[in-house]
Amino acid sequence: MASTVTAVPRQCHIVKCDGYDGFGFNLYQEKSKPGQFIGKIEPGSPADVAGLKEDDKIVEVNGVNIARENHKQVVGRIKAIASETTLLVVDKECEEYHSEQGIVIQNSLPYVQHISSEGFDTDDEEFIDTRL
């Protein structure tokens, strides 16, 4: 019987928009573990709309695996296209599942979730104050 993948990689296509400066997230790395991770995400930013979550681990930037790259190289890849970037990310549960199953995480997996902020514009959002 085939097992169902519950923790899926997410391919987040982040497109800068008018009215918002940047992508809306920062990047960090920890000395104790390999990889580049998503730090703070600005609410309502293109990164937020595209499905990035704090502490996600970046697997690919614009289709290129970044496992052996340092922080500066990853930042360079993210900034390579000024108006957009595509990040393949996993949360801890997803990374552990794929490691246990011996599955290499890549954007060609049939169950990768694709999310995009393309078409999102901060001016399109109407804020309704529901506080009484």
Side-chain angles (χ1 to χ4, degrees):
M1 181 181 250
S3 63
T4 303
V5 179
T6 56
V8 299
R10 296 183 319 281
Q11 184 165 299
C12 303
H13 179 221
I14 309 160
V15 180
K16 290 182 181 177
C17 63
D18 293 336
Y20 199 89
D21 186 31
F23 293 121
F25 73 95
N26 64 32
L27 196 60
Y28 74 92
Q29 70 180 85
E30 294 182 9
K31 292 185 190 290
S32 61
K33 61 182 179 179
Q36 303 293 318
F37 299 87
I38 302 298
K40 182 171 173 40
I41 298 171
E42 296 294 324
S45 68
D48 185 28
V49 173
L52 283 185
K53 300 191 182 329
E54 289 185 19
D55 298 322
D56 277 345
K57 182 177 183 178
I58 300 176
V59 177
E60 294 179 0
V61 176
N62 299 322
V64 178
N65 185 291
I66 55 97
R68 299 193 191 305
E69 296 189 358
N70 64 37
H71 186 78
K72 186 176 181 178
Q73 290 169 312
V74 174
V75 169
R77 285 198 185 279
I78 291 170
K79 292 182 174 182
I81 304 170
S83 62
E84 63 185 276
T85 192
T86 301
L87 306 179
L88 181 66
V89 297
V90 293
D91 60 22
K92 186 175 182 175
E93 180 185 359
C94 180
E95 183 178 27
E96 287 174 356
Y97 170 83
H98 286 80
S99 177
E100 289 168 3
Q101 300 298 314
I103 301 170
V104 176
I105 300 167
Q106 51 194 357
N107 64 18
S108 62
L109 291 172
Y111 48 84
V112 169
Q113 182 181 15
H114 297 264
I115 310 166
S116 179
S117 67
E118 191 168 23
F120 171 76
D121 191 337
T122 55
D123 294 336
D124 291 343
E125 295 295 306
E126 179 181 355
F127 177 75
I128 300 172
D129 189 349
T130 58
R131 294 175 293 173
L132 298 174

